PDB file of all heavy atoms in Angstrom:
ATOM      1  N   SER Y  33     105.654  88.150  94.186  1.00  0.00           N
ATOM      2  CA  SER Y  33     106.993  88.722  94.015  1.00  0.00           C
ATOM      3  C   SER Y  33     107.568  89.116  95.379  1.00  0.00           C
ATOM      4  O   SER Y  33     106.850  89.557  96.269  1.00  0.00           O
ATOM      5  CB  SER Y  33     106.926  89.953  93.113  1.00  0.00           C
ATOM      6  OG  SER Y  33     108.174  90.628  93.090  1.00  0.00           O
ATOM      7  N   ARG Y  34     108.887  88.964  95.519  1.00  0.00           N
ATOM      8  CA  ARG Y  34     109.577  89.433  96.716  1.00  0.00           C
ATOM      9  C   ARG Y  34     110.220  90.805  96.493  1.00  0.00           C
ATOM     10  O   ARG Y  34     110.877  91.325  97.388  1.00  0.00           O
ATOM     11  CB  ARG Y  34     110.640  88.419  97.139  1.00  0.00           C
ATOM     12  CG  ARG Y  34     110.050  87.103  97.638  1.00  0.00           C
ATOM     13  CD  ARG Y  34     111.120  86.223  98.234  1.00  0.00           C
ATOM     14  NE  ARG Y  34     110.558  84.972  98.739  1.00  0.00           N
ATOM     15  CZ  ARG Y  34     111.253  84.045  99.391  1.00  0.00           C
ATOM     16  NH1 ARG Y  34     112.544  84.242  99.613  1.00  0.00           N
ATOM     17  NH2 ARG Y  34     110.679  82.947  99.809  1.00  0.00           N
ATOM     18  N   ASP Y  35     110.030  91.340  95.308  1.00  0.00           N
ATOM     19  CA  ASP Y  35     110.576  92.661  95.002  1.00  0.00           C
ATOM     20  C   ASP Y  35     109.593  93.714  95.499  1.00  0.00           C
ATOM     21  O   ASP Y  35     108.814  94.283  94.729  1.00  0.00           O
ATOM     22  CB  ASP Y  35     110.808  92.794  93.491  1.00  0.00           C
ATOM     23  CG  ASP Y  35     111.581  94.059  93.137  1.00  0.00           C
ATOM     24  OD1 ASP Y  35     112.008  94.766  94.068  1.00  0.00           O
ATOM     25  OD2 ASP Y  35     111.718  94.347  91.937  1.00  0.00           O
ATOM     26  N   VAL Y  36     109.608  93.943  96.800  1.00  0.00           N
ATOM     27  CA  VAL Y  36     108.670  94.874  97.428  1.00  0.00           C
ATOM     28  C   VAL Y  36     109.451  95.907  98.225  1.00  0.00           C
ATOM     29  O   VAL Y  36     110.610  95.702  98.567  1.00  0.00           O
ATOM     30  CB  VAL Y  36     107.684  94.136  98.367  1.00  0.00           C
ATOM     31  CG1 VAL Y  36     106.904  93.078  97.615  1.00  0.00           C
ATOM     32  CG2 VAL Y  36     108.414  93.510  99.548  1.00  0.00           C
ATOM     33  N   ARG Y  37     108.807  97.024  98.490  1.00  0.00           N
ATOM     34  CA  ARG Y  37     109.434  98.069  99.302  1.00  0.00           C
ATOM     35  C   ARG Y  37     108.473  98.513 100.379  1.00  0.00           C
ATOM     36  O   ARG Y  37     107.246  98.519 100.183  1.00  0.00           O
ATOM     37  CB  ARG Y  37     109.823  99.264  98.437  1.00  0.00           C
ATOM     38  CG  ARG Y  37     108.670  99.897  97.698  1.00  0.00           C
ATOM     39  CD  ARG Y  37     109.100 101.191  97.042  1.00  0.00           C
ATOM     40  NE  ARG Y  37     108.075 101.697  96.153  1.00  0.00           N
ATOM     41  CZ  ARG Y  37     108.064 102.929  95.671  1.00  0.00           C
ATOM     42  NH1 ARG Y  37     109.007 103.778  96.022  1.00  0.00           N
ATOM     43  NH2 ARG Y  37     107.111 103.321  94.865  1.00  0.00           N
ATOM     44  N   ALA Y  38     109.012  98.868 101.517  1.00  0.00           N
ATOM     45  CA  ALA Y  38     108.186  99.331 102.619  1.00  0.00           C
ATOM     46  C   ALA Y  38     107.651 100.724 102.314  1.00  0.00           C
ATOM     47  O   ALA Y  38     108.310 101.531 101.667  1.00  0.00           O
ATOM     48  CB  ALA Y  38     108.997  99.359 103.907  1.00  0.00           C
ATOM     49  N   VAL Y  39     106.424 100.984 102.773  1.00  0.00           N
ATOM     50  CA  VAL Y  39     105.803 102.302 102.641  1.00  0.00           C
ATOM     51  C   VAL Y  39     105.482 102.772 104.056  1.00  0.00           C
ATOM     52  O   VAL Y  39     104.340 102.687 104.520  1.00  0.00           O
ATOM     53  CB  VAL Y  39     104.534 102.243 101.776  1.00  0.00           C
ATOM     54  CG1 VAL Y  39     103.966 103.640 101.553  1.00  0.00           C
ATOM     55  CG2 VAL Y  39     104.828 101.581 100.440  1.00  0.00           C
ATOM     56  N   PRO Y  40     106.487 103.239 104.794  1.00  0.00           N
ATOM     57  CA  PRO Y  40     106.295 103.556 106.214  1.00  0.00           C
ATOM     58  C   PRO Y  40     105.312 104.696 106.451  1.00  0.00           C
ATOM     59  O   PRO Y  40     104.736 104.796 107.533  1.00  0.00           O
ATOM     60  CB  PRO Y  40     107.700 103.930 106.689  1.00  0.00           C
ATOM     61  CG  PRO Y  40     108.418 104.346 105.450  1.00  0.00           C
ATOM     62  CD  PRO Y  40     107.869 103.497 104.358  1.00  0.00           C
ATOM     63  N   GLN Y  41     105.102 105.556 105.440  1.00  0.00           N
ATOM     64  CA  GLN Y  41     104.210 106.687 105.652  1.00  0.00           C
ATOM     65  C   GLN Y  41     102.730 106.308 105.556  1.00  0.00           C
ATOM     66  O   GLN Y  41     101.867 107.097 105.890  1.00  0.00           O
ATOM     67  CB  GLN Y  41     104.508 107.814 104.643  1.00  0.00           C
ATOM     68  CG  GLN Y  41     104.240 107.492 103.179  1.00  0.00           C
ATOM     69  CD  GLN Y  41     105.441 106.931 102.454  1.00  0.00           C
ATOM     70  OE1 GLN Y  41     106.169 106.128 103.018  1.00  0.00           O
ATOM     71  NE2 GLN Y  41     105.648 107.344 101.210  1.00  0.00           N
ATOM     72  N   TRP Y  42     102.446 105.079 105.106  1.00  0.00           N
ATOM     73  CA  TRP Y  42     101.036 104.669 105.020  1.00  0.00           C
ATOM     74  C   TRP Y  42     100.566 104.216 106.395  1.00  0.00           C
ATOM     75  O   TRP Y  42     101.190 103.372 107.025  1.00  0.00           O
ATOM     76  CB  TRP Y  42     100.841 103.549 104.003  1.00  0.00           C
ATOM     77  CG  TRP Y  42      99.399 103.396 103.642  1.00  0.00           C
ATOM     78  CD1 TRP Y  42      98.457 102.684 104.316  1.00  0.00           C
ATOM     79  CD2 TRP Y  42      98.717 104.022 102.562  1.00  0.00           C
ATOM     80  NE1 TRP Y  42      97.231 102.814 103.721  1.00  0.00           N
ATOM     81  CE2 TRP Y  42      97.365 103.642 102.634  1.00  0.00           C
ATOM     82  CE3 TRP Y  42      99.125 104.883 101.535  1.00  0.00           C
ATOM     83  CZ2 TRP Y  42      96.415 104.065 101.716  1.00  0.00           C
ATOM     84  CZ3 TRP Y  42      98.183 105.303 100.632  1.00  0.00           C
ATOM     85  CH2 TRP Y  42      96.846 104.903 100.719  1.00  0.00           C
ATOM     86  N   PRO Y  43      99.450 104.733 106.903  1.00  0.00           N
ATOM     87  CA  PRO Y  43      99.001 104.414 108.268  1.00  0.00           C
ATOM     88  C   PRO Y  43      98.484 102.984 108.390  1.00  0.00           C
ATOM     89  O   PRO Y  43      97.543 102.597 107.722  1.00  0.00           O
ATOM     90  CB  PRO Y  43      97.868 105.425 108.506  1.00  0.00           C
ATOM     91  CG  PRO Y  43      97.357 105.740 107.129  1.00  0.00           C
ATOM     92  CD  PRO Y  43      98.545 105.690 106.228  1.00  0.00           C
ATOM     93  N   THR Y  44      99.123 102.188 109.236  1.00  0.00           N
ATOM     94  CA  THR Y  44      98.684 100.805 109.428  1.00  0.00           C
ATOM     95  C   THR Y  44      98.611 100.396 110.891  1.00  0.00           C
ATOM     96  O   THR Y  44      98.204  99.284 111.189  1.00  0.00           O
ATOM     97  CB  THR Y  44      99.654  99.834 108.729  1.00  0.00           C
ATOM     98  OG1 THR Y  44     100.968 100.040 109.245  1.00  0.00           O
ATOM     99  CG2 THR Y  44      99.656 100.039 107.228  1.00  0.00           C
ATOM    100  N   GLY Y  45      99.023 101.237 111.822  1.00  0.00           N
ATOM    101  CA  GLY Y  45      99.060 100.824 113.210  1.00  0.00           C
ATOM    102  C   GLY Y  45     100.437 100.294 113.572  1.00  0.00           C
ATOM    103  O   GLY Y  45     101.367 100.300 112.768  1.00  0.00           O
ATOM    104  N   LYS Y  46     100.592  99.807 114.790  1.00  0.00           N
ATOM    105  CA  LYS Y  46     101.897  99.410 115.317  1.00  0.00           C
ATOM    106  C   LYS Y  46     102.315  98.008 114.917  1.00  0.00           C
ATOM    107  O   LYS Y  46     103.497  97.701 114.869  1.00  0.00           O
ATOM    108  CB  LYS Y  46     101.903  99.528 116.841  1.00  0.00           C
ATOM    109  CG  LYS Y  46     101.681 100.953 117.351  1.00  0.00           C
ATOM    110  CD  LYS Y  46     101.649 100.976 118.866  1.00  0.00           C
ATOM    111  CE  LYS Y  46     101.405 102.394 119.397  1.00  0.00           C
ATOM    112  NZ  LYS Y  46     101.333 102.420 120.872  1.00  0.00           N
ATOM    113  N   ARG Y  47     101.380  97.130 114.675  1.00  0.00           N
ATOM    114  CA  ARG Y  47     101.721  95.724 114.481  1.00  0.00           C
ATOM    115  C   ARG Y  47     101.643  95.286 113.027  1.00  0.00           C
ATOM    116  O   ARG Y  47     101.572  94.104 112.740  1.00  0.00           O
ATOM    117  CB  ARG Y  47     100.805  94.852 115.342  1.00  0.00           C
ATOM    118  CG  ARG Y  47     100.964  95.126 116.824  1.00  0.00           C
ATOM    119  CD  ARG Y  47     100.095  94.220 117.651  1.00  0.00           C
ATOM    120  NE  ARG Y  47     100.267  94.470 119.074  1.00  0.00           N
ATOM    121  CZ  ARG Y  47      99.623  93.815 120.024  1.00  0.00           C
ATOM    122  NH1 ARG Y  47      98.744  92.874 119.696  1.00  0.00           N
ATOM    123  NH2 ARG Y  47      99.834  94.085 121.296  1.00  0.00           N
ATOM    124  N   ALA Y  48     101.620  96.217 112.119  1.00  0.00           N
ATOM    125  CA  ALA Y  48     101.594  95.893 110.700  1.00  0.00           C
ATOM    126  C   ALA Y  48     102.349  96.970 109.953  1.00  0.00           C
ATOM    127  O   ALA Y  48     102.680  98.024 110.506  1.00  0.00           O
ATOM    128  CB  ALA Y  48     100.157  95.792 110.208  1.00  0.00           C
ATOM    129  N   GLN Y  49     102.633  96.709 108.699  1.00  0.00           N
ATOM    130  CA  GLN Y  49     103.340  97.685 107.885  1.00  0.00           C
ATOM    131  C   GLN Y  49     102.847  97.567 106.455  1.00  0.00           C
ATOM    132  O   GLN Y  49     102.467  96.478 106.002  1.00  0.00           O
ATOM    133  CB  GLN Y  49     104.849  97.438 107.927  1.00  0.00           C
ATOM    134  CG  GLN Y  49     105.663  98.509 107.223  1.00  0.00           C
ATOM    135  CD  GLN Y  49     107.138  98.388 107.495  1.00  0.00           C
ATOM    136  OE1 GLN Y  49     107.572  97.614 108.349  1.00  0.00           O
ATOM    137  NE2 GLN Y  49     107.941  99.138 106.767  1.00  0.00           N
ATOM    138  N   ALA Y  50     102.842  98.685 105.747  1.00  0.00           N
ATOM    139  CA  ALA Y  50     102.411  98.698 104.350  1.00  0.00           C
ATOM    140  C   ALA Y  50     103.608  98.474 103.447  1.00  0.00           C
ATOM    141  O   ALA Y  50     104.722  98.935 103.724  1.00  0.00           O
ATOM    142  CB  ALA Y  50     101.731 100.017 104.015  1.00  0.00           C
ATOM    143  N   PHE Y  51     103.375  97.758 102.360  1.00  0.00           N
ATOM    144  CA  PHE Y  51     104.397  97.505 101.359  1.00  0.00           C
ATOM    145  C   PHE Y  51     103.816  97.752  99.978  1.00  0.00           C
ATOM    146  O   PHE Y  51     102.604  97.632  99.771  1.00  0.00           O
ATOM    147  CB  PHE Y  51     104.909  96.062 101.444  1.00  0.00           C
ATOM    148  CG  PHE Y  51     105.716  95.767 102.676  1.00  0.00           C
ATOM    149  CD1 PHE Y  51     105.088  95.408 103.858  1.00  0.00           C
ATOM    150  CD2 PHE Y  51     107.092  95.857 102.661  1.00  0.00           C
ATOM    151  CE1 PHE Y  51     105.814  95.144 105.008  1.00  0.00           C
ATOM    152  CE2 PHE Y  51     107.838  95.598 103.805  1.00  0.00           C
ATOM    153  CZ  PHE Y  51     107.198  95.235 104.978  1.00  0.00           C
ATOM    154  N   ALA Y  52     104.681  98.071  99.033  1.00  0.00           N
ATOM    155  CA  ALA Y  52     104.287  98.244  97.638  1.00  0.00           C
ATOM    156  C   ALA Y  52     105.072  97.253  96.800  1.00  0.00           C
ATOM    157  O   ALA Y  52     106.294  97.117  96.955  1.00  0.00           O
ATOM    158  CB  ALA Y  52     104.565  99.669  97.176  1.00  0.00           C
ATOM    159  N   CYS Y  53     104.378  96.557  95.916  1.00  0.00           N
ATOM    160  CA  CYS Y  53     105.025  95.580  95.050  1.00  0.00           C
ATOM    161  C   CYS Y  53     105.561  96.291  93.811  1.00  0.00           C
ATOM    162  O   CYS Y  53     104.823  96.992  93.120  1.00  0.00           O
ATOM    163  CB  CYS Y  53     104.045  94.485  94.645  1.00  0.00           C
ATOM    164  SG  CYS Y  53     104.755  93.273  93.499  1.00  0.00           S
ATOM    165  N   ARG Y  54     106.841  96.107  93.543  1.00  0.00           N
ATOM    166  CA  ARG Y  54     107.458  96.747  92.389  1.00  0.00           C
ATOM    167  C   ARG Y  54     107.093  96.048  91.082  1.00  0.00           C
ATOM    168  O   ARG Y  54     107.427  96.541  90.003  1.00  0.00           O
ATOM    169  CB  ARG Y  54     108.983  96.759  92.544  1.00  0.00           C
ATOM    170  CG  ARG Y  54     109.511  97.716  93.617  1.00  0.00           C
ATOM    171  CD  ARG Y  54     111.013  97.858  93.490  1.00  0.00           C
ATOM    172  NE  ARG Y  54     111.556  98.815  94.450  1.00  0.00           N
ATOM    173  CZ  ARG Y  54     112.087  98.490  95.617  1.00  0.00           C
ATOM    174  NH1 ARG Y  54     112.120  97.206  95.977  1.00  0.00           N
ATOM    175  NH2 ARG Y  54     112.584  99.401  96.423  1.00  0.00           N
ATOM    176  N   GLU Y  55     106.453  94.895  91.166  1.00  0.00           N
ATOM    177  CA  GLU Y  55     106.110  94.161  89.949  1.00  0.00           C
ATOM    178  C   GLU Y  55     104.682  94.428  89.500  1.00  0.00           C
ATOM    179  O   GLU Y  55     104.434  94.809  88.360  1.00  0.00           O
ATOM    180  CB  GLU Y  55     106.320  92.661  90.155  1.00  0.00           C
ATOM    181  CG  GLU Y  55     106.108  91.852  88.881  1.00  0.00           C
ATOM    182  CD  GLU Y  55     106.560  90.406  89.027  1.00  0.00           C
ATOM    183  OE1 GLU Y  55     107.425  90.147  89.877  1.00  0.00           O
ATOM    184  OE2 GLU Y  55     106.050  89.558  88.276  1.00  0.00           O
ATOM    185  N   CYS Y  56     103.702  94.234  90.414  1.00  0.00           N
ATOM    186  CA  CYS Y  56     102.301  94.390  90.004  1.00  0.00           C
ATOM    187  C   CYS Y  56     101.667  95.681  90.497  1.00  0.00           C
ATOM    188  O   CYS Y  56     100.550  96.013  90.105  1.00  0.00           O
ATOM    189  CB  CYS Y  56     101.464  93.193  90.460  1.00  0.00           C
ATOM    190  SG  CYS Y  56     101.181  93.119  92.250  1.00  0.00           S
ATOM    191  N   GLY Y  57     102.361  96.427  91.384  1.00  0.00           N
ATOM    192  CA  GLY Y  57     101.827  97.697  91.839  1.00  0.00           C
ATOM    193  C   GLY Y  57     100.820  97.610  92.962  1.00  0.00           C
ATOM    194  O   GLY Y  57     100.146  98.595  93.271  1.00  0.00           O
ATOM    195  N   LEU Y  58     100.693  96.463  93.613  1.00  0.00           N
ATOM    196  CA  LEU Y  58      99.744  96.303  94.715  1.00  0.00           C
ATOM    197  C   LEU Y  58     100.274  96.979  95.975  1.00  0.00           C
ATOM    198  O   LEU Y  58     101.456  96.857  96.299  1.00  0.00           O
ATOM    199  CB  LEU Y  58      99.506  94.821  94.997  1.00  0.00           C
ATOM    200  CG  LEU Y  58      98.462  94.485  96.067  1.00  0.00           C
ATOM    201  CD1 LEU Y  58      97.055  94.736  95.538  1.00  0.00           C
ATOM    202  CD2 LEU Y  58      98.604  93.039  96.539  1.00  0.00           C
ATOM    203  N   LEU Y  59      99.403  97.683  96.687  1.00  0.00           N
ATOM    204  CA  LEU Y  59      99.716  98.180  98.024  1.00  0.00           C
ATOM    205  C   LEU Y  59      99.066  97.214  99.004  1.00  0.00           C
ATOM    206  O   LEU Y  59      97.863  96.959  98.923  1.00  0.00           O
ATOM    207  CB  LEU Y  59      99.165  99.587  98.217  1.00  0.00           C
ATOM    208  CG  LEU Y  59      99.438 100.217  99.590  1.00  0.00           C
ATOM    209  CD1 LEU Y  59     100.911 100.531  99.750  1.00  0.00           C
ATOM    210  CD2 LEU Y  59      98.613 101.488  99.772  1.00  0.00           C
TER     211      LEU Y  59
END
Side-chain angles (χ1 to χ4, degrees):
S33 172
R34 292 189 179 184
D35 189 5
V36 302
R37 59 171 171 165
V39 185
Q41 65 269 40
W42 196 276
T44 57
K46 298 178 181 178
R47 298 182 179 180
Q49 186 169 350
F51 291 85
C53 177
R54 289 192 177 97
E55 186 170 335
C56 71
L58 184 74
L59 180 69

